[in-house]
Amino acid sequence: MSTLTEPTTATGLRFPTGFWWGAATAAYQIEGATAEDGRAPSIWDTFAATPGRIDSGHTGARACDHYRCSGDDVRLMASLGLTAYRFSISWPRVLPYGRPNPAGLDFYDRLVDDLLAAGIHPTATLYHWDLPQALEDRGGWANRDIAGHFADYTAAVAGRLGDRVRMWNTLNEPWCSAFLGYGSGGHAPGRSNYTTALSAVHHLLLAHGRAVDVLRGTGTDAQISIAVNAGCVRPHTDSPADQDAARTIDGLLNRIVLDPLLRGAYPADVVAATAWASDWSFVRPGDLATISRPIDALGVNYYQPDRVSAAPGPATPYPTQGTIAFHQTPGPTTDMGWTIDESGLHALLLRITHDYGPIPLYVTENGAAFTDTKSADGAVHDPDRTAFLRSHFTAAHQAIADGADLRGYFVWSLLDNFEWAFGYTKRFGLIHVDYETQQRTLKDSALWYRDVITANGFPDPTSQLSGLNHRAR
């Protein structure tokens, strides 16, 4: 278990020796080059090209042009002192139409080598939502056969990169892939059917288990993990009805994923609550043993807590038949309208530790969107993001002190990028991207983060930013 090298003192906070300080991205959000070097279309290419799906009609066709700029981007990571970088691999780039694509594999081969040369741990996510369209045309995640296709894809990637990747995330946020992609239809592939969504979440988890088997079979010494969008769900009031509503949403958000992964069973109350939509016959003998293959760590993506009540409410991605309402948590918000509440991160890390045992944890995503613009001095001054990160790092530090085995933290995101259904209208990056020129500029928050990494903590919690050159070099 991680232990703090220093307590909270007048000199600031210190994190465990060897703590991973990273940043995260996803392939479709940054790479661009969507029709080059043999890449096949993904569900997000199709979704983004559908009128009305994406703000302002944006697509990821060019994005941050990381496919061409990856060398420069790694140099920027090195200038910040990152010790880990979480990136995703584009399934349609490396295995279009089920056949390995040498050019696509070459790109990630170079990226991994560049990261290692810079002293940065390559942390690869196999699936961050960009399913090949050809597989969606055959049923996508609602088709049980997808687990076998994912195993084949995993084998192709691991065979090329497995000797150098230091951590594998099999999936990013399977809840989102299932319930936003197949339940509400707000994400690709844009289907709206809760019965389909429930089968999709099972097949995603089954694919995860198959991928774990493939990775273990390579003899890798890399950590194997999965990144989940676990949440802190709170009742709107202390009434028994609202507490029951919170338990229901906790089941449909957290336990529907964590219980099969870490306990080998779906929660009985979740199965009962969704019986109106599905008989769960998609779960076959042996599936849960595959899903619950031992993993080395759990990735946790956290942005804000949920607050719910037992009251009629508008449709949500949750299959509750409109019987539960969501409420805004009081407090300041980000540009996404999400409440800034670091206490939810602290509570979530401890809850996972308490309920599922002392599994090693990584915060695989946490960050905030704000309206960032360049100032007359050419810098991007983003004090709100710095304050956001400071408060959440502090909460994470306290969670370690309280018993969570937290071993690393990946800020979302390294770069401003294509933010899914919001297009380019939301900026999460530590690095500002001019989408016309592709110029990168380190924001003040990036320079503050660099100082945190250098000190492995907060050298002085009350200090101001260093004021060094803000321009990316």
Side-chain angles (χ1 to χ4, degrees), residues 179-195:
F179 288 103
L180 298 183
Y182 294 85
S184 70
H187 278 191
R191 291 206 251 167
S192 302
N193 184 291
Y194 288 120
T195 303

Side-chain angles (χ1 to χ4, degrees), residues 128 131 138 242 279 289 389:
H128 199 134
L131 183 71
R138 296 164 65 176
D242 284 3
D279 62 6
L389 293 175

Side-chain angles (χ1 to χ4, degrees), residues 252-267:
L252 291 169
L253 172 63
N254 295 320
R255 291 181 287 114
I256 195 173
V257 172
L258 293 175
D259 276 26
L261 284 173
L262 301 175
R263 292 177 173 169
Y266 284 105

Side-chain angles (χ1 to χ4, degrees), residues 144-208:
R144 183 181 176 87
D145 292 344
I146 194 73
H149 293 298
F150 190 68
D152 293 341
Y153 160 60
T154 301
V157 174
R160 186 67 176 271
L161 307 178
D163 59 331
R164 287 157 292 154
V165 167
R166 304 317 310 145
M167 175 185 280
W168 295 100
N169 292 156
T170 56
L171 306 173
N172 178 76
E173 299 183 347
W175 183 92
C176 290
S177 295
F179 288 103
L180 298 183
Y182 294 85
S184 70
H187 278 191
R191 291 206 251 167
S192 302
N193 184 291
Y194 288 120
T195 303
T196 303
L198 289 166
S199 67
V201 75
H202 179 68
H203 296 147
L204 281 152
L205 295 178
L206 185 62
H208 155 80

Side-chain angles (χ1 to χ4, degrees), residues 38-42 45 90-96 101 130-133:
R39 181 187 177 278
S42 78
D45 294 302
S90 170
W91 189 345
R93 192 180 296 285
V94 303
L95 210 69
N101 176 26
D130 50 351
L131 183 71
Q133 182 61 45

